Each structure stands twice: as C-alpha cells, then as structure tokens.
Amino acid sequence: MDKPITDNQAWLTIKQAANYLGVSYRSMRYAIQLKKEEKANVAFRLKKFGRRTLVNRNSLDTINEIIIRL
C-alpha cells in the first residue's frame, strides 16, 4: 500500500494520484500514457524521479475528467 497523501505534498505517485481521483491504478496508467504520447490529458504535469513517474497534485485539481482511451 502506498503512503497516505499529506496536506503539503505537491507530487503524487501514480497509485496516490489514482486514489486521489477515485479511479483505478490501471486507468491512471492509461491516462498518463496518453499524456506522454501527447494525445490527451494535456493538463497533467508529470516528472520522472528515477524510474518512477510523479503527477503534480495541482494539475489533478484543475481537470474535469481524465481520458483513458481514444
């Protein structure tokens, strides 16, 4: 299980971001892949931390919906 999200945490793991939005881990992975391919979810802000991909929490607050397939 992933660490709980703290109030001042700006960057979330994929699992934390999925829990934050109330979607499955797999859906979040699909959404991030579409962002990386520049096909959808352009509001996401991502960064690499080693092998992990992190999602900016503020960018999740600004979206109305995530797209998981085209």
Side-chain angles (χ1 to χ4, degrees):
M1 188 160 138
D2 227 14
K3 293 181 181 179
I5 301 169
T6 61
D7 289 337
N8 61 349
Q9 187 173 350
W11 294 94
L12 307 175
T13 65
I14 295 173
K15 188 179 279 189
Q16 287 175 325
N19 289 336
Y20 187 74
L21 292 177
V23 299
S24 70
Y25 176 78
R26 181 181 286 181
S27 293
M28 195 68 205
R29 294 281 304 169
Y30 288 148
I32 289 172
Q33 187 60 39
L34 288 174
K35 163 63 177 172
K36 287 179 179 179
E37 295 171 0
E38 298 180 2
K39 294 181 180 177
N41 304 313
V42 294
F44 284 176
R45 288 186 28 223
L46 306 174
K47 78 174 180 178
K48 293 293 280 181
F49 185 74
R51 292 180 2 162
R52 298 184 329 175
T53 299
L54 301 176
V55 183
N56 184 274
R57 184 178 186 173
N58 290 334
S59 71
L60 297 178
D61 289 335
T62 62
I63 61 171
N64 294 329
E65 66 178 344
I66 63 169
I67 298 169
I68 60 171
R69 70 184 116 177
L70 296 175

